[in-house]
Amino acid sequence: MLASPIAYLKGVGPQRAELLQKELGIFTFNDLLHHFPFRHVDKTQVTPIGNASPAEEYIQCAGILEPFQIIGEKRGRRLIAQLRDKTGTVELVWFSAISLIQKMLQPGQAYIVYGKLSWFLSKPQMVHPEVEAWTPEKLEGKAYLEPVYPSTEKLKAKNLGGRQIGKLTKVLMPHVRQQDLPENFPQKILDDLKLMSRFDAYQQLHFPQSQKHYEAALRRLKFEEIFLAQMRMNLLRSQRHRFSKGLVFDKVGAYFNDFYNQYLPFALTGAQKRVLKEIRTDTARGRQMNRLLQGDVGSGKTIVALLCMLLAADNGFQSVLMAPTEILARQHFQGISDLLLPMDIGVALLTGSVKGKERKAILQGVVDGSVRLLIGTHAVIEDAVQFENLGLVIVDEQHRFGVAQRARLWEKNEIPPHVLVMTATPIPRTLAMTAYGDLDYSVIDELPPGRQPVQTVHRFDQDRSQVMEFLKTEIALGRQVYIIFPLIEESDKLNYENLMRGYDEIKTYFPEPEYWISMVHGKQPAAQKELNMQRFVQHDTQIMVSTTVIEVGVNVPNASVMVIESAEKFGLSQLHQLRGRVGRGAEKSYCILLTGRKLGNDARERMKIMTSTNNGFVIAEKDLELRGPGDIEGTRQSGVLNFKLANIVNDRAMVEVAKKVTEAILTDDPELTMPENEPLKAFLQSQKGKTIWSKIS
């Protein structure tokens, strides 16, 4: 029944159906059922006119219509009538369709009117009210709150506004039967959480008897969305834990121990040790590891990754570390090669620009196992890259790689390798539980000792000359400086002009040969970009002028100041990522946010948060509140969070409860075969394309 085309619903027909399809994506009865109202109009009460008060915004009254008067000329023309009951009168006013109203309404008759209440010379008034003939059986008003639905300008023009769609839903509801909306929760959940039944929830969400009924229905259906998303993720995860074979790293040998005891440049923090322990446990038990490692900018994820690679080498396996850009891959390679210099272990770098003989030699080394650690961009996924025995895949900056790209690396070995996914974009816990529920996750939540927090300040454009003077004093101390310009999505040309203007202005403050400037932007050929980066890294230049290409991973310990131009154009997590490029050495570092005077509330809030905290997790939570989950890196393509009713930020408590409930169910019944869980399993199986049952069973 719910699969019927929308054109077959009484009052729709082919033309309206086409509009509903194009404008709102409503193709079937089921789509209309899932087009939820965003507010309700309360016509359940009829208020005596004498009791009307300025506190009420909308009001419904009934009474006798008194004769019309037309007042004013031309544009100021309006139709006025009084509606009187036993307690008083309210003035009704129309500015348009005057002759139509005069034809439709008869003075002396009884009408029920509903509209927005205003007060004119301390008398109640309604402009363009809704009017219906009044009969004594309408004394009580309606038995439900009237829904108002999201609509579009095009639909409104064709008389399908928010209230008219409500009339169609009213026609639909009697056709919806209990078996169309079967219960998908075990009775125990309904009882424990005091949730309304699924069938009732749909009825009360559209046409609630009262505000209280509506809230109960909303709570039930929000919880269902969050619960089912978690259920799908947890099913995948629990099945993986139970069935996926994994390589066993059962010994800690010479590579790991020698490095740890002799060459580790600094003592590990407690958080790093904890994460290593979690990874050790994961890789030793014969199940494939799939772990998300979150660590704030500069928390030392790379050293943890390196120790894991040495652990793999001790057990006779190769590792691959995949980074999103060539610059980052090169940097990882440089850092890791330097650390491993005293040890005899094969490390190679494979990127798109490695060609010819060199490439051939690396591919050969990977096949025969002489290369134990391969570092590269997604060139490492290519079919030409064949491993002797790949045991560990590390993906840096998860959000730059899709799930499909990760999966291609799994296929590089008979038994899939362990996977460690690293991200420096802290993901709020609520989001991680829902969007990355198929990964186990670890968090490095403390910075290595000796790291000084970056001091962040907000300055306006008119303070620019003081800011530039401050940069000169820092450069005089031998430090280096980043100046970042925003990318405006619409236009490459605008970005380029914006950057060039900025560059010329900076050159007037910092003339050559006293100062040297590197410039990096997206339009440059890769080789030139690389050269300009390297000049800055090697301290040939003191200033790096750049767009956000340096957001991820560039490591210049001597850079102590980050100036972000038009900082109001950046999101919070991006500002935080950029700030993480400084404060990598022992010197005191600064981040200066430059903005125009006129700031919107959101932008002002972002500046406030950035200047008040360095904690990436606090920032990520705030970012989620300001922007919503759709924009958090990596969740957009996952499609997990296309919630219609729930909101991960506002319904945080619900996410926590759903997590506990799903885990409890799957602990007792991992296959969902118990009779009380059968409806849930049946429902998940019926949701085409949402639950990947082929992966599960």
CSV table of all heavy atoms in Angstrom, one decimal, residues 577-608:
chain,number,residue,atom,x,y,z
A,577,GLN,N,43.3,23.2,12.6
A,577,GLN,CA,44.4,22.5,11.8
A,577,GLN,C,45.5,23.4,11.4
A,577,GLN,O,46.7,23.1,11.5
A,577,GLN,CB,43.8,22.0,10.5
A,577,GLN,CG,42.8,20.8,10.7
A,577,GLN,CD,43.6,19.5,10.9
A,577,GLN,OE1,44.7,19.4,10.5
A,577,GLN,NE2,43.0,18.6,11.6
A,578,LEU,N,45.2,24.6,10.9
A,578,LEU,CA,46.2,25.6,10.5
A,578,LEU,C,47.1,26.0,11.7
A,578,LEU,O,48.3,26.1,11.6
A,578,LEU,CB,45.5,26.8,9.9
A,578,LEU,CG,45.0,26.6,8.5
A,578,LEU,CD1,44.0,27.7,8.1
A,578,LEU,CD2,46.1,26.4,7.4
A,579,ARG,N,46.4,26.3,12.8
A,579,ARG,CA,47.1,26.7,14.0
A,579,ARG,C,48.2,25.6,14.4
A,579,ARG,O,49.2,25.9,14.9
A,579,ARG,CB,46.2,26.9,15.2
A,579,ARG,CG,46.8,27.2,16.5
A,579,ARG,CD,45.9,27.7,17.5
A,579,ARG,NE,44.9,26.8,17.9
A,579,ARG,CZ,43.9,27.1,18.7
A,579,ARG,NH1,43.8,28.3,19.2
A,579,ARG,NH2,43.0,26.2,19.0
A,580,GLY,N,47.8,24.3,14.1
A,580,GLY,CA,48.7,23.2,14.5
A,580,GLY,C,50.0,23.2,13.7
A,580,GLY,O,50.9,22.4,14.0
A,581,ARG,N,50.1,24.1,12.7
A,581,ARG,CA,51.4,24.1,11.9
A,581,ARG,C,52.5,24.8,12.7
A,581,ARG,O,53.6,24.7,12.4
A,581,ARG,CB,51.2,24.8,10.6
A,581,ARG,CG,50.2,24.2,9.6
A,581,ARG,CD,50.6,22.8,9.2
A,581,ARG,NE,49.7,21.8,9.7
A,581,ARG,CZ,50.1,20.7,10.3
A,581,ARG,NH1,51.3,20.5,10.6
A,581,ARG,NH2,49.2,19.9,10.7
A,582,VAL,N,52.1,25.6,13.7
A,582,VAL,CA,53.1,26.3,14.6
A,582,VAL,C,53.1,25.7,15.9
A,582,VAL,O,52.2,24.9,16.3
A,582,VAL,CB,52.9,27.8,14.7
A,582,VAL,CG1,53.1,28.5,13.3
A,582,VAL,CG2,51.6,28.2,15.2
A,583,GLY,N,54.1,26.0,16.7
A,583,GLY,CA,54.2,25.4,18.1
A,583,GLY,C,54.8,24.0,18.0
A,583,GLY,O,54.6,23.2,18.9
A,584,ARG,N,55.6,23.7,17.0
A,584,ARG,CA,56.2,22.4,16.9
A,584,ARG,C,57.6,22.4,17.4
A,584,ARG,O,58.2,21.3,17.4
A,584,ARG,CB,56.1,21.9,15.4
A,584,ARG,CG,54.7,21.8,14.9
A,584,ARG,CD,54.5,21.3,13.5
A,584,ARG,NE,53.2,20.7,13.5
A,584,ARG,CZ,53.1,19.4,13.2
A,584,ARG,NH1,54.1,18.6,13.0
A,584,ARG,NH2,51.8,18.9,13.2
A,585,GLY,N,58.2,23.5,17.7
A,585,GLY,CA,59.5,23.6,18.3
A,585,GLY,C,59.4,24.0,19.8
A,585,GLY,O,58.4,23.9,20.4
A,586,ALA,N,60.6,24.3,20.3
A,586,ALA,CA,60.6,24.7,21.8
A,586,ALA,C,60.2,26.1,22.0
A,586,ALA,O,60.0,26.5,23.2
A,586,ALA,CB,62.0,24.4,22.3
A,587,GLU,N,60.1,26.9,20.9
A,587,GLU,CA,59.9,28.4,21.1
A,587,GLU,C,58.4,28.7,21.3
A,587,GLU,O,57.5,27.9,20.9
A,587,GLU,CB,60.3,29.2,19.8
A,587,GLU,CG,61.7,28.8,19.3
A,587,GLU,CD,62.8,28.9,20.4
A,587,GLU,OE1,62.6,29.7,21.3
A,587,GLU,OE2,63.8,28.3,20.3
A,588,LYS,N,58.1,29.8,22.0
A,588,LYS,CA,56.7,30.3,22.2
A,588,LYS,C,56.2,30.6,20.8
A,588,LYS,O,56.8,31.3,20.0
A,588,LYS,CB,56.8,31.5,23.1
A,588,LYS,CG,55.4,32.2,23.3
A,588,LYS,CD,54.7,31.6,24.5
A,588,LYS,CE,53.3,32.1,24.7
A,588,LYS,NZ,52.3,31.0,24.5
A,589,SER,N,55.0,30.1,20.5
A,589,SER,CA,54.4,30.4,19.2
A,589,SER,C,53.1,31.1,19.3
A,589,SER,O,52.4,31.1,20.3
A,589,SER,CB,54.1,29.0,18.5
A,589,SER,OG,55.4,28.4,18.2
A,590,TYR,N,52.7,31.8,18.2
A,590,TYR,CA,51.5,32.6,18.1
A,590,TYR,C,50.7,32.3,16.9
A,590,TYR,O,51.2,32.0,15.8
A,590,TYR,CB,52.0,34.1,18.1
A,590,TYR,CG,52.9,34.5,19.2
A,590,TYR,CD1,54.3,34.4,19.1
A,590,TYR,CD2,52.4,35.0,20.4
A,590,TYR,CE1,55.1,34.7,20.1
A,590,TYR,CE2,53.2,35.3,21.5
A,590,TYR,CZ,54.6,35.1,21.3
A,590,TYR,OH,55.4,35.5,22.3
A,591,CYS,N,49.4,32.5,17.1
A,591,CYS,CA,48.5,32.4,15.9
A,591,CYS,C,47.6,33.7,15.9
A,591,CYS,O,47.0,34.0,17.0
A,591,CYS,CB,47.6,31.2,16.1
A,591,CYS,SG,46.3,31.1,14.8
A,592,ILE,N,47.7,34.5,14.8
A,592,ILE,CA,47.0,35.7,14.8
A,592,ILE,C,45.8,35.6,13.8
A,592,ILE,O,46.0,35.4,12.6
A,592,ILE,CB,47.9,36.9,14.4
A,592,ILE,CG1,49.1,36.9,15.4
A,592,ILE,CG2,47.2,38.2,14.3
A,592,ILE,CD1,50.3,37.8,15.0
A,593,LEU,N,44.6,35.8,14.3
A,593,LEU,CA,43.4,35.7,13.4
A,593,LEU,C,43.0,37.2,13.0
A,593,LEU,O,42.6,38.0,13.8
A,593,LEU,CB,42.2,35.1,14.1
A,593,LEU,CG,42.5,33.8,14.8
A,593,LEU,CD1,41.4,33.3,15.7
A,593,LEU,CD2,42.8,32.7,13.8
A,594,LEU,N,43.2,37.5,11.7
A,594,LEU,CA,42.9,38.8,11.2
A,594,LEU,C,41.5,38.8,10.5
A,594,LEU,O,41.2,37.9,9.7
A,594,LEU,CB,43.9,39.2,10.1
A,594,LEU,CG,45.2,39.9,10.6
A,594,LEU,CD1,46.1,40.1,9.4
A,594,LEU,CD2,44.8,41.3,11.2
A,595,THR,N,40.6,39.7,10.9
A,595,THR,CA,39.3,39.7,10.3
A,595,THR,C,38.9,41.2,10.1
A,595,THR,O,39.5,42.1,10.6
A,595,THR,CB,38.2,39.1,11.2
A,595,THR,OG1,38.0,40.0,12.3
A,595,THR,CG2,38.5,37.8,11.8
A,596,GLY,N,37.8,41.3,9.2
A,596,GLY,CA,37.2,42.7,9.1
A,596,GLY,C,36.5,43.0,10.3
A,596,GLY,O,36.3,42.2,11.2
A,597,ARG,N,36.0,44.3,10.4
A,597,ARG,CA,35.2,44.8,11.5
A,597,ARG,C,33.9,44.1,11.7
A,597,ARG,O,33.4,43.8,12.7
A,597,ARG,CB,35.0,46.3,11.4
A,597,ARG,CG,36.0,47.1,12.3
A,597,ARG,CD,35.5,47.3,13.7
A,597,ARG,NE,36.6,47.9,14.5
A,597,ARG,CZ,36.9,47.4,15.6
A,597,ARG,NH1,36.4,46.2,16.1
A,597,ARG,NH2,37.9,47.9,16.4
A,598,LYS,N,33.2,43.9,10.5
A,598,LYS,CA,31.8,43.4,10.5
A,598,LYS,C,31.8,41.9,10.5
A,598,LYS,O,32.2,41.3,9.6
A,598,LYS,CB,31.1,43.9,9.2
A,598,LYS,CG,30.7,45.3,9.3
A,598,LYS,CD,29.8,45.7,8.1
A,598,LYS,CE,29.3,47.1,8.2
A,598,LYS,NZ,29.0,47.6,6.9
A,599,LEU,N,31.4,41.3,11.7
A,599,LEU,CA,31.4,39.9,11.8
A,599,LEU,C,30.0,39.4,12.1
A,599,LEU,O,29.3,40.0,13.0
A,599,LEU,CB,32.4,39.5,12.9
A,599,LEU,CG,33.9,39.5,12.7
A,599,LEU,CD1,34.6,39.0,13.9
A,599,LEU,CD2,34.3,38.8,11.4
A,600,GLY,N,29.6,38.3,11.5
A,600,GLY,CA,28.4,37.7,11.9
A,600,GLY,C,28.5,37.0,13.2
A,600,GLY,O,29.6,36.8,13.7
A,601,ASN,N,27.4,36.6,13.8
A,601,ASN,CA,27.4,35.9,15.1
A,601,ASN,C,28.3,34.7,15.1
A,601,ASN,O,29.0,34.4,16.0
A,601,ASN,CB,26.0,35.6,15.6
A,601,ASN,CG,25.2,36.9,15.9
A,601,ASN,OD1,25.9,37.9,16.1
A,601,ASN,ND2,23.9,36.8,16.0
A,602,ASP,N,28.1,33.8,14.1
A,602,ASP,CA,28.8,32.6,14.0
A,602,ASP,C,30.4,32.9,14.0
A,602,ASP,O,31.1,32.2,14.7
A,602,ASP,CB,28.5,31.8,12.8
A,602,ASP,CG,27.3,30.8,13.1
A,602,ASP,OD1,26.8,30.9,14.2
A,602,ASP,OD2,27.0,30.0,12.2
A,603,ALA,N,30.7,33.8,13.1
A,603,ALA,CA,32.2,34.1,13.0
A,603,ALA,C,32.7,34.7,14.3
A,603,ALA,O,33.8,34.3,14.7
A,603,ALA,CB,32.4,35.1,11.9
A,604,ARG,N,31.9,35.5,15.0
A,604,ARG,CA,32.4,36.1,16.2
A,604,ARG,C,32.6,34.9,17.2
A,604,ARG,O,33.6,34.9,18.0
A,604,ARG,CB,31.4,37.1,16.8
A,604,ARG,CG,31.9,37.9,17.9
A,604,ARG,CD,31.1,39.1,18.2
A,604,ARG,NE,31.4,40.2,17.3
A,604,ARG,CZ,30.5,40.7,16.5
A,604,ARG,NH1,29.3,40.2,16.4
A,604,ARG,NH2,30.8,41.7,15.6
A,605,GLU,N,31.7,34.0,17.2
A,605,GLU,CA,31.7,32.8,18.1
A,605,GLU,C,33.0,32.0,17.8
A,605,GLU,O,33.7,31.6,18.8
A,605,GLU,CB,30.4,32.0,17.9
A,605,GLU,CG,30.3,30.8,18.8
A,605,GLU,CD,30.1,31.1,20.3
A,605,GLU,OE1,29.8,32.3,20.7
A,605,GLU,OE2,30.2,30.1,21.1
A,606,ARG,N,33.3,31.8,16.5
A,606,ARG,CA,34.5,31.0,16.2
A,606,ARG,C,35.7,31.7,16.7
A,606,ARG,O,36.6,31.0,17.2
A,606,ARG,CB,34.5,30.8,14.6
A,606,ARG,CG,33.5,29.9,14.1
A,606,ARG,CD,33.9,29.4,12.7
A,606,ARG,NE,33.9,30.4,11.7
A,606,ARG,CZ,32.9,30.8,11.0
A,606,ARG,NH1,31.7,30.2,11.2
A,606,ARG,NH2,33.0,31.7,10.0
A,607,MET,N,35.8,33.0,16.5
A,607,MET,CA,37.0,33.7,17.0
A,607,MET,C,37.2,33.5,18.5
A,607,MET,O,38.3,33.4,19.1
A,607,MET,CB,37.0,35.2,16.7
A,607,MET,CG,36.9,35.5,15.2
A,607,MET,SD,38.2,34.7,14.2
A,607,MET,CE,37.2,33.9,13.0
A,608,LYS,N,36.0,33.6,19.2
A,608,LYS,CA,36.0,33.5,20.7
A,608,LYS,C,36.5,32.1,21.1
A,608,LYS,O,37.4,32.0,22.0
A,608,LYS,CB,34.6,33.7,21.2
A,608,LYS,CG,34.6,34.3,22.6
A,608,LYS,CD,33.2,34.8,23.0
A,608,LYS,CE,32.4,33.8,23.6
A,608,LYS,NZ,30.9,34.1,23.8
